[in-house]
Amino acid sequence: MTKNIYILLVFMSLQLMVQAQDFHFTQFYNTPFEMNPARTGIFDGDHRAIGIYRNQWNSVSIPYRSYAVAYDTRANSRLGGGLSLLNDDAGDGTLRTLKADLALSYIFNLADDSVNFISLGVRNGITQNSVDFSQFTFDNQFDGDGFIPGSPTGESFGASKFSYYDLSAGINWLHRFDQDGPYVQGGLALFHINQPGRTFYSADEKLNTRFVTQINGRWPVSERTSLLPTIMYMKQGPFSEINGGSLVRYRWTETALVDNGLYLGAFLRAGDAVNIATGFDYKNFTTGLSYDINISGLETASNNKGGFELSVIYIIRKVKPVNPFKAACPVY
């Protein structure tokens, strides 16, 4: 009976992780490839590379580690394209999610006014999920005196991995208030439109479509300081999340062609965590650092500790921007 209860708990945990919300980063504002395919190629430059790493729940269990890399560019003033790779390892059995996605976007300049832009994007990808059953322990592996590594478990497991095709799409609107910096943009995206089957068992279990909407912008409040507010809402099946806050950017350089700055801000992931964020711009690099302070029902075990996250963005510009206070939005 004890063994059966333990097996049931293990696989209930696996199923809950499989059916819950998609993995996502605290610095969602630095991971456009996971927020909306229509934001592919939407940046001030010609080529962009992004890397991000997350380490979570060290104080509660085996750490959850996630990392991703992405690259996007614009072939011309209209067409954008990008590639992203993501790996997420969770829990004792290293429940692994490995994703490879290719995104394309098309950008419309509304009424040729160089102020309003609409972009449409689509993302195609392959995802593989796997679990290492050898990292679990079972009562058959105990002989009464101790644990015997590698001994028979007495259990019969299903497949240890499976893969599926994934389709996503989105739309994004960008409005520039003037040529020098202030802007606002908002978008809607649907992930897992095809609702692929996602299970370690033979049963037909579908992955719920994930709906994402995000609004963000940039507004100068002085010659050197600007606000970068953003809010994001996601819903996937019975699960939902709202995350909002703002960064404050202070430009420390005074030269006409260099725009180096410091960031500091905070975000609230409702019912889950307070996120403290900082970072800096230096030449073509932007670096972000954040930490989650857990405020959910898990705080008794976590001691309010959550996840550490580091991101690095590198942008190549063939022509340097003339105005140092120019917003990080497209040059068409």
Side-chain angles (χ1 to χ4, degrees):
M1 177 65 72
T2 302
K3 177 181 71 173
N4 292 335
I5 293 175
Y6 183 76
I7 294 293
L8 179 62
L9 289 174
V10 168
F11 282 98
M12 283 179 63
S13 298
L14 285 175
Q15 284 291 78
L16 285 172
M17 286 187 285
V18 167
Q19 295 178 14
Q21 282 182 290
D22 288 346
F23 174 82
H24 54 279
F25 292 97
T26 290
Q27 296 179 50
F28 61 92
Y29 45 86
N30 281 340
T31 57
F33 52 92
E34 284 298 310
M35 290 293 101
N36 193 335
R39 294 195 174 189
T40 302
I42 305 295
F43 62 97
D44 179 19
D46 300 286
H47 305 275
R48 175 172 62 180
I50 301 174
I52 189 165
Y53 171 79
R54 179 177 180 81
N55 185 296
Q56 186 176 11
W57 302 130
N58 281 286
S59 62
V60 179
S61 65
I62 300 297
Y64 288 33
R65 294 187 176 93
S66 311
Y67 45 89
V69 293
Y71 165 80
D72 63 338
T73 186
R74 283 196 308 277
N76 50 49
S77 62
R78 301 294 185 191
L79 186 63
L83 174 68
S84 63
L85 301 172
L86 182 146
N87 186 87
D88 175 49
D89 294 333
D92 292 343
T94 313
L95 179 63
R96 174 165 293 171
T97 300
L98 180 62
K99 298 171 52 182
D101 295 289
L102 177 66
L104 296 173
S105 66
Y106 190 82
I107 305 160
F108 300 87
N109 185 351
L110 300 182
D112 295 323
D113 56 9
S114 297
V115 172
N116 290 286
F117 303 90
I118 292 287
S119 59
L120 303 175
V122 63
R123 188 176 82 167
N124 296 272
I126 298 294
T127 299
Q128 181 186 85
N129 286 107
S130 62
V131 64
D132 185 358
F133 293 112
S134 68
Q135 295 188 34
F136 296 115
T137 60
F138 303 88
D139 60 351
N140 279 2
Q141 297 176 297
F142 292 84
D143 63 359
D145 295 321
F147 175 69
I148 306 175
S151 60
T153 66
E155 305 298 333
S156 177
F157 301 110
S160 63
K161 65 176 62 176
F162 62 90
S163 301
Y164 57 87
Y165 166 74
D166 201 6
L167 175 65
S168 307
I171 184 171
N172 190 68
W173 166 71
L174 169 69
H175 174 76
R176 297 192 301 188
F177 290 92
D178 60 46
Q179 196 70 20
D180 294 336
Y183 73 93
V184 63
Q185 65 175 334
L188 302 172
L190 291 175
F191 294 83
H192 320 307
I193 294 175
N194 57 321
Q195 294 191 323
R198 187 185 185 190
T199 177
F200 288 101
Y201 303 97
S202 58
D204 185 18
E205 181 121 11
K206 299 295 185 181
L207 180 60
N208 289 322
T209 298
R210 173 165 60 104
F211 168 81
V212 182
T213 181
Q214 181 182 357
I215 300 174
N216 69 292
R218 173 169 174 166
W219 193 262
V221 294
S222 71
E223 183 180 355
R224 288 175 174 256
T225 306
S226 57
L227 296 177
L228 290 87
T230 182
I231 187 168
M232 179 267 294
Y233 173 78
M234 293 198 302
K235 182 172 177 57
Q236 185 174 12
F239 303 97
S240 62
E241 176 184 312
I242 186 167
N243 197 336
S246 181
L247 293 171
V248 178
R249 184 180 188 274
Y250 177 77
R251 180 168 57 92
W252 80 69
T253 55
E254 299 183 14
T255 62
L257 295 178
V258 180
D259 186 18
N260 297 328
L262 294 172
Y263 296 90
L264 182 64
F267 296 83
L268 174 65
R269 190 161 58 239
D272 183 29
V274 174
N275 316 125
I276 305 302
T278 186
F280 64 88
D281 294 326
Y282 180 72
K283 296 184 178 179
N284 291 348
F285 285 94
T286 295
T287 299
L289 181 67
S290 64
Y291 189 80
D292 297 354
I293 301 172
N294 178 237
I295 59 172
S296 71
L298 191 61
E299 63 181 342
T300 302
S302 68
N303 293 318
N304 297 114
K305 298 177 182 177
F308 163 84
E309 202 169 286
L310 174 67
S311 67
V312 178
I313 301 173
Y314 181 71
I315 294 178
I316 297 176
R317 298 178 177 90
K318 295 178 183 178
V319 178
K320 293 183 178 181
V322 175
N323 192 314
F325 207 49
K326 188 171 184 60
C329 58
V331 177
Y332 294 97

